Amino acid sequence: MASMPQQPGKPPPPCPAWVFSINSNTHVAKDRCWFGKDYIPFRSHVTDMGGGSVEVIGMGTVNITTMSSPTQTDQDSHSSISLKNVLHTPAMLCNIIGGPITNNHTIVCGPTTSTSSGRIMDDSDGRTVAYFKSMRQGPQLYQLQVSAPPYGHHFGASPLLPNGHYMIHAFWSQRERQRFAVLKSRNLIQASGVEVLTESEGHWFGKRHMSEDAILVAYGLNKDRKEHREEGRAIMRILKSHAENEPIV
């Protein structure tokens, strides 16, 4: 079946697949629309089990609306999971819930039934806040049963095939964590203006092959919306500040 054409300037629909990976030491999300207001532009990278590198372009909190039961029928009944310090990695195959979730949740894996292959419990009160999809139809991954996409969006197709074999993993090094901590301690994570770029700023970004349109695409922003264009320029200025104040760690 042919895919629906995207509207010019509009980001693609968000990836619906959230996979639990206990061997990952961080959470990652593909799409900007998952993140809340605490989103911070930040360039870094994560590695996979094969040593391959995937670019990180930001970080923030993600709230996922989950099903209140594995056979939920009431559309008004939902649960949710909040993930902090999620890395924004557009080139990752899918979204990943990493090992840090076990800091405040208990993961119960199996047995696989027709409706679920496990659940996630909140340690603060023992409530079940999410379920994993059944693996009976494949693939053999702990995929979160997500109830709804981020507000104002519709899900795209899952990149995970029923008969596919995947190694889902993301590792964020201690060095990169220290880089972020230093930049944050220097107050270099806040926007410094949304007005049109100056000539000198345009020259600086041009030398580094960075354009406003490219930033809008990378960060899932719509060039037809004024507030998105302003956010894009704010992101560019934050990235420029990071590059000019690169910490030595």
Side-chain angles (χ1 to χ4, degrees), residues 23-28 40 42-49 52-60 84-89 92 96 98 100 169-184:
N23 293 320
S24 297
N25 72 348
T26 187
H27 312 301
V28 302
I40 299 169
F42 171 67
R43 303 192 75 170
S44 182
H45 66 275
V46 294
T47 55
D48 57 27
M49 295 186 74
S53 180
V54 179
E55 183 183 26
V56 171
I57 63 173
M59 175 195 287
K84 297 185 181 300
N85 301 319
V86 182
L87 301 180
H88 183 192
T89 56
M92 191 66 74
I96 298 176
H169 177 80
F171 177 81
W172 196 36
S173 71
Q174 188 60 35
R175 179 184 181 277
E176 291 301 298
R177 294 172 189 267
Q178 291 174 349
R179 280 186 62 238
F180 177 78
V182 172
L183 291 170
K184 186 175 182 179

Side-chain angles (χ1 to χ4, degrees), residues 187-246:
N187 295 317
L188 297 174
I189 60 174
Q190 302 298 323
S192 59
V194 298
E195 63 275 2
V196 175
L197 299 178
T198 65
E199 183 177 348
S200 62
E201 286 176 326
H203 180 68
W204 190 93
F205 288 112
K207 288 178 63 176
R208 289 156 181 80
H209 307 290
M210 296 172 66
S211 68
E212 291 190 53
D213 284 350
I215 288 293
L216 291 172
V217 171
Y219 285 86
L221 299 171
N222 189 338
K223 69 178 182 181
D224 294 327
R225 295 177 59 178
K226 179 177 180 291
E227 67 272 23
H228 281 203
R229 296 196 304 273
E230 290 179 344
E231 182 178 349
R233 292 193 289 268
I235 288 172
M236 294 178 77
R237 290 187 169 102
I238 292 174
L239 296 178
K240 181 174 182 290
S241 176
H242 291 178
E244 292 175 336
N245 297 276
E246 178 64 32

Side-chain angles (χ1 to χ4, degrees), residues 149-178:
Y151 179 77
H153 295 268
H154 297 282
F155 278 137
S158 173
L160 304 175
L161 302 176
N163 60 347
H165 298 279
Y166 303 97
M167 296 179 66
I168 306 298
H169 177 80
F171 177 81
W172 196 36
S173 71
Q174 188 60 35
R175 179 184 181 277
E176 291 301 298
R177 294 172 189 267
Q178 291 174 349

Side-chain angles (χ1 to χ4, degrees), residues 2-21:
S3 60
M4 294 294 290
Q6 294 295 321
Q7 296 180 23
K10 186 177 181 180
C15 172
W18 283 91
V19 174
F20 171 58
S21 168

